Amino acid sequence: MIAPLSWAQSLRREADCTGILVGTAVRTSQFSESAYATTLVREFNMMQAEDVMKWSTIRPDRQTFNFTLGDQVVDFAQAHDMKVRGHTLLWGRHNPEWLNGADYNPGMLSELLRDHITKVVQHYRGKVFAWDVVNEALDENGEFRSSIWYDRPGIGLAGKGNAYIEQAFRWAHAADPDVLLFYNDAEGEAVNHKSDAIYAMVKDFKRRGVPIDGIGLQMHIFDLQPNVASIAANINRFTALGVQVHITELDVPLPTDASGNLRNPSDLLKQAEIYRQIAATCLSHRGCTALQTWGFTDKYSWIRSFFRGNKGSALLFDNKYNPKPAYRALNQAFGAAGCSP
Ligand code: G3I
């Protein structure tokens, strides 16, 4: 059982004390739900649009930029003194059909991407403090994923490794020299082939003055057995390069039956321990400057539909916004590093 919580000890309050940002992905469609908005404001000092700053929302067609929903994220954040991460300017997946289906040549695609990055970053200048410029460009072995931006047909840099990524960072920096620019990916949280490839890219970018400020470690933890020592070593080597690390999409899905009931209720305690360890690891590295979960209530999470009902309960609050052991653990990890007596 979780002991009753004093909301004076909210995550946000503890995080404000540590100086580390604590955030969540948000869905604008839920801002009008009182429990959603209340919990969001009470617990977090940073937020990121789960979907509405992606091409799929901002670009309904080639001519149009629709910032309506993205602006709602910014407005909500500003009204409640929260920071906004931007997500994402370039991704090979989940792009609009008009973009996937068209017959572009590299010159046209390059201009389309330059225009998109420039207009979106300028629109949110001074409102978004950090962008996931490029999302998930590498596969699990650290090889470049085939995508419309890289090689199908690409923006003119196909076969040239991270050159198209570098170009995206340079365009973003030109649009807003003050915003922090991140490379964001999954499966590279620990030291492995993929994080080796990301590390080599970031090291090369830093050496050549390519404007990169940080990497996002997504941290979707699917197996209840993360190698925390290896994650710590990985964070260590990245921060030693002089870039920040943000944990960007933390969640810990648990096995469930088709009704959403946990197969093993004791998994909640294992999940809590994972949240605690990941937070403690971030908090112990000066360069790990933000920890963000991918949503905060199990009522709204990508996990159940993605895993077709076989996994769920991945977040800090249950469907009714009751705090789970994971919340308590995260709160205590922040408290231990911050101002709690
Ligand atoms: O909004 C429409 C709705 O009108 C329609 O009825 C419904 C029918 O399927 O689709 C809705 O759009 C969905 C959208 O989420 C909003 O809920 C899209 O189909 C669905 O593909 C989209 O999924 C998102 C996915 O990225 C793709 O963009 C998930 O919410 C989001 O959690 C997920 O987030 C990604 C990160 O961006 C990158 N890292 C991995 C992470 C999880 O996959």
Side-chain angles (χ1 to χ4, degrees):
M1 269 312 268
I2 307 168
L5 283 163
S6 154
W7 294 121
Q9 291 170 302
S10 77
L11 208 47
R12 177 176 186 162
R13 200 178 163 103
E14 300 292 359
D16 282 344
C17 250
T18 65
I20 288 189
L21 294 165
V22 65
T24 177
V26 295
R27 298 185 177 182
T28 48
S29 47
Q30 309 315 137
F31 283 170
S32 56
E33 185 182 330
S34 165
Y36 186 94
T38 308
T39 310
L40 175 57
V41 170
R42 186 186 66 226
E43 299 296 339
F44 301 97
N45 56 20
M46 178 180 81
M47 63 167 83
Q48 174 166 303
E50 184 168 348
D51 289 310
V52 301
M53 289 191 189
K54 294 172 178 169
W55 278 75
S56 50
T57 300
I58 289 184
R59 303 299 299 278
D61 56 54
R62 186 175 170 178
Q63 288 72 35
T64 308
F65 285 77
N66 186 345
F67 293 113
T68 308
L69 295 177
D71 288 353
Q72 287 179 16
V73 174
V74 168
D75 291 347
F76 187 100
Q78 289 183 340
H80 300 287
D81 199 20
M82 303 163 85
K83 289 199 160 197
V84 179
R85 288 189 96 258
H87 175 83
T88 176
L89 300 169
L90 185 166
W91 190 8
R93 301 182 62 210
H94 299 288
N95 287 312
E97 277 313 310
W98 65 262
L99 177 60
N100 290 329
D103 190 16
Y104 293 109
N105 64 40
M108 293 158 75
L109 259 190
S110 175
E111 179 50 24
L112 195 62
L113 182 61
R114 187 201 60 74
D115 185 51
H116 180 85
I117 289 175
T118 303
K119 291 207 171 93
V120 174
V121 171
Q122 284 181 345
H123 179 84
Y124 287 114
R125 192 171 178 164
K127 299 173 178 169
V128 162
F129 82 104
W131 272 104
D132 289 333
V133 178
V134 175
N135 186 55
E136 297 171 23
L138 298 169
D139 69 16
E140 59 275 22
N141 299 312
E143 306 291 335
F144 292 97
R145 289 184 196 277
S146 179
S147 75
I148 188 169
W149 306 119
Y150 178 48
D151 62 354
R152 284 186 293 144
I155 62 167
L157 299 167
K160 295 187 176 163
N162 59 35
Y164 84 104
I165 300 174
E166 172 178 344
Q167 180 61 80
F169 275 81
R170 291 194 184 281
W171 282 329
H173 182 70
D176 179 358
D178 298 320
V179 73
L180 299 176
L181 304 180
F182 281 68
Y183 175 78
N184 189 53
D185 214 326
E187 303 159 326
E189 288 81 6
V191 175
N192 55 31
H193 286 316
K194 181 159 182 175
S195 61
D196 285 351
I198 299 170
Y199 179 80
M201 177 174 76
V202 174
K203 190 173 181 183
D204 172 55
F205 281 5
K206 291 297 284 181
R207 185 178 59 79
R208 292 189 297 108
V210 179
I212 185 167
D213 300 287
I215 61 147
L217 302 179
Q218 291 188 5
M219 211 72 73
H220 298 289
I221 296 176
F222 297 130
D223 63 0
L224 287 178
Q225 291 179 318
N227 185 339
V228 178
S230 185
I231 291 171
N234 199 35
I235 291 175
N236 219 21
R237 66 172 173 167
F238 276 105
T239 55
L241 287 178
V243 294
Q244 298 184 39
V245 170
H246 284 181
I247 291 168
T248 51
E249 305 186 11
L250 176 60
D251 54 17
V252 184
L254 303 177
T256 59
D257 64 21
S259 313
N261 300 313
L262 289 174
R263 292 203 178 272
N264 308 301
S266 61
D267 282 349
L268 285 174
L269 297 179
K270 292 184 189 163
Q271 179 187 57
E273 181 57 15
I274 291 170
Y275 270 97
R276 191 191 66 72
Q277 289 182 357
I278 297 298
T281 302
C282 178
L283 286 157
S284 68
H285 286 85
R286 183 187 288 269
C288 187
T289 50
L291 183 145
Q292 178 170 264
T293 56
W294 204 238
F296 55 95
T297 166
D298 292 331
K299 193 172 178 184
Y300 307 112
S301 162
W302 68 292
I303 292 293
R304 284 201 62 70
S305 64
F306 187 82
F307 287 100
R308 296 168 198 269
N310 292 316
K311 290 200 177 203
S313 192
L315 295 167
L316 300 175
F317 294 87
D318 70 14
N319 287 334
K320 295 184 171 153
Y321 297 92
N322 296 309
K324 293 160 62 182
Y327 171 82
R328 186 80 170 160
L330 201 58
N331 196 304
Q332 285 170 350
F334 273 86
C339 313
S340 281

